[in-house]
Amino acid sequence: MSSSAPAKNQVKVENIGPSRKRVTITIPAEAVTGQLETTMSTLLSEAELPGFRRGRAPRRLIEKKFGGAMKTEARNQLLASAFSEAVQEHKLEVLGDPDGGDDLSKLELVAGKPVTFSLEVEVVPEFKVPKLDGIEVNKPQISVDDKMINDQVDKLCLNEGRLDPQDKAGPGDYCIGRGTMKTEDGVEVLDLDGAVIQIPPADKGPKGAILGIIVDDFAKQVGLPKAGDSLHVHAVGPESHERAEVRGKKLRIDFRVDRVERIVPAAVGELVSKYRLADEAQLRESISLQLNRRVMLEQQAAMHSQIAKYLNDHVEMELPEGLTGKQAERNLQRARLDMMYRGMDAQQVEQRIAELRGSSKEVAARELKLLFILARISQDLKIGLTEEEVGGRIAQMAASRGVRFEQMRDELVRTNQVQMVAQQIREQKTLDALLGKAVVKEIPVEEYNKLVDEQATAGSGKGKKKG
Amino acid sequence: MDARHIVKEPLLTEKQTYMSDQHNRYGFLVAREATKTEIKEAIQSLYKVRVLSVNTHNRTSRIRRYKYGAIEGKTTKRAVVRVHPEDKIELV
């Protein structure tokens, strides 16, 4: 090998669209030869062939046996290191995997010849961070009253109630059975045994969900079925569904009702003894504590959403096209985690997720924009994250769901959502930091809801009504 | 007998590689019934080289005893040929 300084790669970066760049790299002949030599010498010293001691097999035999694989290995190493060097040198903030097309896999290294290849990458958009001090934020004044506590007691009674088998379903009853979802071309998308549907309660309108799809005239389509009945529901797949084959397609969902069950609410006394409390007053007190925590979180979420709206409105950026679809998928997962953290029960979470699937890609784009802004701000404000914080959040989620910490953690690891929990905490810490610098004005909840309504009619934004 | 039936395969081992590089001697696995003359002619016709001498040896198999009985392997014949210094055999 030569002792002179290694020749440098030539890198050319071109803009080819919003937040999309083409990186063309030329690796000099010496680097190619050097890489081939290094890979070969590693192989020579490590290869074990029958009839030869380790590292004693002749070079030509190794080349004949492993030449192809060796060249592929050398190419992958060389290309990866050249790309990461180029990313560092040009300070590119790359999102996702680079796209090299088919040509990259056909690229062959020849000793003594330079190699040129191109990759297309999506990068973090360039934008200017707006003024972060003194953002005006309204805090809705919500207090936990007797009505809220009564509603919560009723809900708990329902949750702890017993199932009563019925011959025929009535409004609000649950049907359990097997559901299959097919597209109009007859392609089966989902087949689920043990699926559950709820006949829309009389006071909640005709909307309902089946296999994660919201159907506007659900009550009319399913009627009041009996055990053994077969239901046929027609629906249209939401545009932002995680599965591409469902998006915007006409769907036919067949549901065979195996059994019909009605929830008979438990008596308050049963709740008291189940939770090992002294009396109803103690139950109401503990519910009041829980509700106060939830209210605090809701207020925080309301203020966070106002800061998010401010950031979205005050930053101009062009988003990478390909990322918006993926973001829509991530949004659903984030929303699911958020609702779990706020203590919503599993069925409510799935119902809400089904509704969110129908939301437009515009929401995904806005979320993506906010993600980039918050990432930049957290970097600027040097907001870090500790393992204890992630553990603490998982413990809170576990407590809200009433499951063990290990069970919750394993579920998040299995579904690959731990990273998202970490990201969510970092974002919330960033929003908290911004909230610390904000000018907070307390307003009655009615006034807050009015403001949210006005913004919604103006079509400008996101905001959640508080009850 | 056909040359390809006489010479079964070249021996590719560390020792044989050393012998071929340093002494121009190449080892082959050959048919048990082949004679030195047949081996010489077979190598000359297959590799187009001049063979100066042929040494052969029979590798008698050992009886290996396992818990389920004794197994006798195959007896093989090996030949080591010395080639003219101006000739070379490319085995790899």
Side-chain angles (χ1 to χ4, degrees), chain A residues 250-261:
Chain A
K250 280 185 183 170
L251 303 169
R252 179 195 158 101
I253 301 166
D254 296 321
F255 191 90
R256 193 197 62 223
V257 181
D258 289 340
R259 55 185 202 276
V260 178
E261 281 173 348

PDB file of all heavy atoms in Angstrom, chain A residues 250-261:
ATOM      1  N   LYS A 250     -63.489   0.589  -2.102  1.00  0.00           N
ATOM      2  CA  LYS A 250     -64.796   0.165  -1.590  1.00  0.00           C
ATOM      3  C   LYS A 250     -64.596  -1.172  -0.901  1.00  0.00           C
ATOM      4  O   LYS A 250     -63.958  -2.080  -1.462  1.00  0.00           O
ATOM      5  CB  LYS A 250     -65.769   0.006  -2.749  1.00  0.00           C
ATOM      6  CG  LYS A 250     -66.339   1.330  -3.198  1.00  0.00           C
ATOM      7  CD  LYS A 250     -67.390   1.108  -4.250  1.00  0.00           C
ATOM      8  CE  LYS A 250     -67.902   2.437  -4.748  1.00  0.00           C
ATOM      9  NZ  LYS A 250     -68.735   2.302  -5.925  1.00  0.00           N
ATOM     10  N   LEU A 251     -65.117  -1.309   0.294  1.00  0.00           N
ATOM     11  CA  LEU A 251     -64.880  -2.533   1.063  1.00  0.00           C
ATOM     12  C   LEU A 251     -66.194  -3.235   1.371  1.00  0.00           C
ATOM     13  O   LEU A 251     -67.224  -2.586   1.532  1.00  0.00           O
ATOM     14  CB  LEU A 251     -64.189  -2.200   2.392  1.00  0.00           C
ATOM     15  CG  LEU A 251     -62.867  -1.437   2.313  1.00  0.00           C
ATOM     16  CD1 LEU A 251     -62.463  -0.966   3.698  1.00  0.00           C
ATOM     17  CD2 LEU A 251     -61.780  -2.319   1.732  1.00  0.00           C
ATOM     18  N   ARG A 252     -66.098  -4.560   1.451  1.00  0.00           N
ATOM     19  CA  ARG A 252     -67.261  -5.316   1.897  1.00  0.00           C
ATOM     20  C   ARG A 252     -66.811  -6.101   3.127  1.00  0.00           C
ATOM     21  O   ARG A 252     -65.829  -6.854   3.074  1.00  0.00           O
ATOM     22  CB  ARG A 252     -67.701  -6.288   0.789  1.00  0.00           C
ATOM     23  CG  ARG A 252     -68.894  -7.127   1.169  1.00  0.00           C
ATOM     24  CD  ARG A 252     -69.041  -8.286   0.197  1.00  0.00           C
ATOM     25  NE  ARG A 252     -69.802  -9.350   0.809  1.00  0.00           N
ATOM     26  CZ  ARG A 252     -71.080  -9.586   0.565  1.00  0.00           C
ATOM     27  NH1 ARG A 252     -71.716  -8.847  -0.293  1.00  0.00           N
ATOM     28  NH2 ARG A 252     -71.707 -10.578   1.155  1.00  0.00           N
ATOM     29  N   ILE A 253     -67.505  -5.865   4.230  1.00  0.00           N
ATOM     30  CA  ILE A 253     -67.126  -6.548   5.466  1.00  0.00           C
ATOM     31  C   ILE A 253     -68.254  -7.504   5.852  1.00  0.00           C
ATOM     32  O   ILE A 253     -69.410  -7.100   5.988  1.00  0.00           O
ATOM     33  CB  ILE A 253     -66.875  -5.530   6.602  1.00  0.00           C
ATOM     34  CG1 ILE A 253     -65.759  -4.550   6.186  1.00  0.00           C
ATOM     35  CG2 ILE A 253     -66.495  -6.236   7.887  1.00  0.00           C
ATOM     36  CD1 ILE A 253     -65.642  -3.334   7.051  1.00  0.00           C
ATOM     37  N   ASP A 254     -67.889  -8.788   5.924  1.00  0.00           N
ATOM     38  CA  ASP A 254     -68.865  -9.793   6.344  1.00  0.00           C
ATOM     39  C   ASP A 254     -68.618 -10.117   7.807  1.00  0.00           C
ATOM     40  O   ASP A 254     -67.469 -10.286   8.226  1.00  0.00           O
ATOM     41  CB  ASP A 254     -68.708 -11.067   5.510  1.00  0.00           C
ATOM     42  CG  ASP A 254     -69.017 -10.798   4.047  1.00  0.00           C
ATOM     43  OD1 ASP A 254     -69.954 -10.024   3.794  1.00  0.00           O
ATOM     44  OD2 ASP A 254     -68.311 -11.331   3.177  1.00  0.00           O
ATOM     45  N   PHE A 255     -69.688 -10.173   8.571  1.00  0.00           N
ATOM     46  CA  PHE A 255     -69.537 -10.440  10.008  1.00  0.00           C
ATOM     47  C   PHE A 255     -70.555 -11.496  10.417  1.00  0.00           C
ATOM     48  O   PHE A 255     -71.754 -11.323  10.222  1.00  0.00           O
ATOM     49  CB  PHE A 255     -69.774  -9.127  10.781  1.00  0.00           C
ATOM     50  CG  PHE A 255     -69.387  -9.212  12.224  1.00  0.00           C
ATOM     51  CD1 PHE A 255     -68.104  -8.893  12.622  1.00  0.00           C
ATOM     52  CD2 PHE A 255     -70.297  -9.629  13.186  1.00  0.00           C
ATOM     53  CE1 PHE A 255     -67.731  -8.972  13.964  1.00  0.00           C
ATOM     54  CE2 PHE A 255     -69.944  -9.717  14.522  1.00  0.00           C
ATOM     55  CZ  PHE A 255     -68.649  -9.383  14.914  1.00  0.00           C
ATOM     56  N   ARG A 256     -70.018 -12.606  10.947  1.00  0.00           N
ATOM     57  CA  ARG A 256     -70.932 -13.647  11.419  1.00  0.00           C
ATOM     58  C   ARG A 256     -71.056 -13.500  12.938  1.00  0.00           C
ATOM     59  O   ARG A 256     -70.064 -13.568  13.665  1.00  0.00           O
ATOM     60  CB  ARG A 256     -70.342 -15.024  11.079  1.00  0.00           C
ATOM     61  CG  ARG A 256     -71.327 -16.171  11.230  1.00  0.00           C
ATOM     62  CD  ARG A 256     -70.622 -17.493  11.287  1.00  0.00           C
ATOM     63  NE  ARG A 256     -69.751 -17.557  12.447  1.00  0.00           N
ATOM     64  CZ  ARG A 256     -68.514 -18.044  12.423  1.00  0.00           C
ATOM     65  NH1 ARG A 256     -67.995 -18.460  11.291  1.00  0.00           N
ATOM     66  NH2 ARG A 256     -67.776 -18.090  13.530  1.00  0.00           N
ATOM     67  N   VAL A 257     -72.273 -13.256  13.401  1.00  0.00           N
ATOM     68  CA  VAL A 257     -72.486 -13.013  14.839  1.00  0.00           C
ATOM     69  C   VAL A 257     -72.517 -14.354  15.566  1.00  0.00           C
ATOM     70  O   VAL A 257     -73.376 -15.188  15.305  1.00  0.00           O
ATOM     71  CB  VAL A 257     -73.810 -12.246  15.088  1.00  0.00           C
ATOM     72  CG1 VAL A 257     -74.011 -11.964  16.564  1.00  0.00           C
ATOM     73  CG2 VAL A 257     -73.834 -10.959  14.284  1.00  0.00           C
ATOM     74  N   ASP A 258     -71.525 -14.582  16.440  1.00  0.00           N
ATOM     75  CA  ASP A 258     -71.506 -15.826  17.222  1.00  0.00           C
ATOM     76  C   ASP A 258     -72.331 -15.682  18.496  1.00  0.00           C
ATOM     77  O   ASP A 258     -73.029 -16.595  18.895  1.00  0.00           O
ATOM     78  CB  ASP A 258     -70.071 -16.200  17.588  1.00  0.00           C
ATOM     79  CG  ASP A 258     -69.294 -16.672  16.374  1.00  0.00           C
ATOM     80  OD1 ASP A 258     -69.951 -17.062  15.387  1.00  0.00           O
ATOM     81  OD2 ASP A 258     -68.055 -16.628  16.383  1.00  0.00           O
ATOM     82  N   ARG A 259     -72.188 -14.511  19.144  1.00  0.00           N
ATOM     83  CA  ARG A 259     -73.001 -14.288  20.345  1.00  0.00           C
ATOM     84  C   ARG A 259     -73.249 -12.798  20.545  1.00  0.00           C
ATOM     85  O   ARG A 259     -72.503 -11.965  20.023  1.00  0.00           O
ATOM     86  CB  ARG A 259     -72.364 -14.915  21.581  1.00  0.00           C
ATOM     87  CG  ARG A 259     -70.960 -14.484  21.855  1.00  0.00           C
ATOM     88  CD  ARG A 259     -70.419 -15.278  23.053  1.00  0.00           C
ATOM     89  NE  ARG A 259     -69.330 -14.560  23.655  1.00  0.00           N
ATOM     90  CZ  ARG A 259     -68.069 -14.619  23.239  1.00  0.00           C
ATOM     91  NH1 ARG A 259     -67.761 -15.393  22.209  1.00  0.00           N
ATOM     92  NH2 ARG A 259     -67.130 -13.928  23.830  1.00  0.00           N
ATOM     93  N   VAL A 260     -74.319 -12.509  21.268  1.00  0.00           N
ATOM     94  CA  VAL A 260     -74.686 -11.113  21.552  1.00  0.00           C
ATOM     95  C   VAL A 260     -74.624 -10.936  23.066  1.00  0.00           C
ATOM     96  O   VAL A 260     -75.113 -11.798  23.804  1.00  0.00           O
ATOM     97  CB  VAL A 260     -76.113 -10.819  21.047  1.00  0.00           C
ATOM     98  CG1 VAL A 260     -76.518  -9.397  21.391  1.00  0.00           C
ATOM     99  CG2 VAL A 260     -76.217 -11.055  19.546  1.00  0.00           C
ATOM    100  N   GLU A 261     -73.975  -9.865  23.504  1.00  0.00           N
ATOM    101  CA  GLU A 261     -73.867  -9.658  24.949  1.00  0.00           C
ATOM    102  C   GLU A 261     -74.179  -8.221  25.333  1.00  0.00           C
ATOM    103  O   GLU A 261     -73.872  -7.296  24.580  1.00  0.00           O
ATOM    104  CB  GLU A 261     -72.457 -10.036  25.425  1.00  0.00           C
ATOM    105  CG  GLU A 261     -72.331 -11.539  25.548  1.00  0.00           C
ATOM    106  CD  GLU A 261     -70.955 -12.029  25.855  1.00  0.00           C
ATOM    107  OE1 GLU A 261     -70.005 -11.238  25.769  1.00  0.00           O
ATOM    108  OE2 GLU A 261     -70.832 -13.222  26.154  1.00  0.00           O
TER     109      GLU A 261
END
